[in-house]
Amino acid sequence: MPQVNGVVRTLSTVAQVLREQGDAVEVIGPDRFRTMPLPSYPEIRLALAPRRALRRMADAWRPNAVHIATEGPLGWAMRALCRQRGWVFTTSFHTKFPEYLQARTGLPPSLAWAVLRRFHEAGGGTFAATQSLREELARRGFTKVRPWTRGVDLSLFNGEGRDEWAGLPRPIFLHVGRVAVEKNIEAFLRLDLPGSKVVVGDGPLRAALERKFPEAHFAGWRQGAALARAYAGADVLVFASRTDTFGLVMLEAMASGTPVAAYPVTGPLDVIPGSGAGVVDDDLRAAALAALACNRAVARAHAERFSWEACAMGFRRQLMPLGTG
């Protein structure tokens, strides 16, 4: 927090469900420390020198299990504390940072993969959302990978609001997510598609893309009911990312009855093929046009296979008590 992305939604919702089930959950995030903005990405705040304060928080909380969600300075500090005390901890793999770094800087990803492997392998298990991601991590030398799926709020994303983009020519092709280079949004905006392109989200590339693609409609960030209406009013969600590890927006769109078009990469390959809820193709334009023919009721039914309750209980089952190895 206060970032708006799939990782934050996943972790905050899992914490909420676990509390409702009777567990005590303490979230220690950068918002509890002095921070600095990540260079070139100011929405991400990095905790500064968190170790001493983190140690006090851990001693006050006295946890039964520790899960380290991300690999930032705070995650490394908690990893060091756990190793110092002989605590077993778990981690989760949410983001292909090596590919993000390559997209932003051109650096080869091999060094970043080595750093990530060192971070995660120190724990007792690394949670990964999809089979294709687990297989990739195994190929890259991760030896303790565990399955942990995702969920969707089926009551919020319910398909109501089909008239949301009534003023725009149909069909409506939608993109939801950070407007940043790693999301590959320009690949979506360059497609020769009928109707209208809508981008929901914000980020460092927004101003440049608005100038470059004046025919597209940039709607800014949306949350809650406004985001649900954005999905419901679209005809296809175009998921252009090649670097996400899941793509929570796909489930939110499907729950709203909106089919998904995507590249055949980690995330889409695990959710879409054989579902009738979307199309994957190396030709993203072909996928987007083909997805127009998908049945909205089928897309909704596919999303109903994913619940936050199942996601949270799967997370809880995979946790490891501090003293086990």
Side-chain angles (χ1 to χ4, degrees), residues 173-312:
F173 293 95
L174 176 69
H175 187 284
V176 176
R178 293 191 306 277
V179 185
V181 63
E182 66 270 11
K183 295 298 183 180
N184 202 28
I185 297 176
E186 191 163 344
F188 161 60
L189 294 173
R190 287 184 178 278
L191 297 178
D192 179 14
L193 295 171
S196 303
K197 298 188 186 83
V198 175
V199 175
V200 169
D202 208 342
L205 281 187
R206 179 176 173 179
L209 292 178
E210 281 186 297
R211 290 192 299 269
K212 193 170 184 178
F213 300 96
E215 74 283 359
H217 180 70
F218 288 78
W221 281 120
R222 290 194 175 196
Q223 298 187 64
L227 177 60
R229 292 194 303 272
Y231 285 121
D235 296 293
V236 173
L237 175 79
V238 181
F239 186 75
S241 175
R242 292 180 177 272
T243 59
D244 278 52
T245 58
F246 189 90
L248 198 59
V249 296
M250 294 191 298
L251 294 185
E252 293 172 347
M254 291 173 183
S256 305
T258 300
V260 178
Y263 291 113
V265 295
T266 297
L269 270 179
D270 300 275
V271 176
I272 296 174
S275 68
V279 179
V280 295
D281 198 310
D282 285 313
D283 184 337
L284 192 58
R285 178 179 183 271
L289 294 174
L292 287 170
C294 291
N295 187 300
R296 296 185 68 88
V298 170
R300 167 69 186 190
H302 185 58
E304 288 173 350
R305 299 172 54 209
F306 299 85
S307 74
W308 281 122
E309 289 73 19
C311 174

Side-chain angles (χ1 to χ4, degrees), residues 39-81:
S40 83
Y41 212 141
E43 296 97 320
I44 295 178
R45 306 292 302 186
L46 302 178
L48 294 174
R51 290 197 177 192
R52 185 175 298 177
L54 180 61
R55 187 180 299 111
R56 290 197 300 267
M57 292 176 189
D59 288 339
W61 182 245
R62 298 173 63 190
N64 299 115
V66 169
H67 182 78
I68 304 176
T70 57
E71 307 95 341
L74 188 53
W76 279 96
M78 192 68 210
R79 174 187 181 276
L81 178 62

Side-chain angles (χ1 to χ4, degrees), residues 11-92:
L11 296 170
S12 59
T13 305
V14 165
Q16 175 186 335
V17 173
L18 291 176
R19 291 179 183 122
E20 291 171 354
Q21 297 292 330
D23 286 314
V25 181
E26 179 83 349
V27 178
I28 300 176
D31 57 314
R32 299 172 66 170
F33 300 83
R34 290 188 303 113
T35 63
M36 63 169 285
L38 179 67
S40 83
Y41 212 141
E43 296 97 320
I44 295 178
R45 306 292 302 186
L46 302 178
L48 294 174
R51 290 197 177 192
R52 185 175 298 177
L54 180 61
R55 187 180 299 111
R56 290 197 300 267
M57 292 176 189
D59 288 339
W61 182 245
R62 298 173 63 190
N64 299 115
V66 169
H67 182 78
I68 304 176
T70 57
E71 307 95 341
L74 188 53
W76 279 96
M78 192 68 210
R79 174 187 181 276
L81 178 62
C82 288
R83 286 170 61 83
Q84 181 185 68
R85 296 185 172 182
W87 289 355
V88 177
F89 61 93
T90 54
T91 63
S92 47

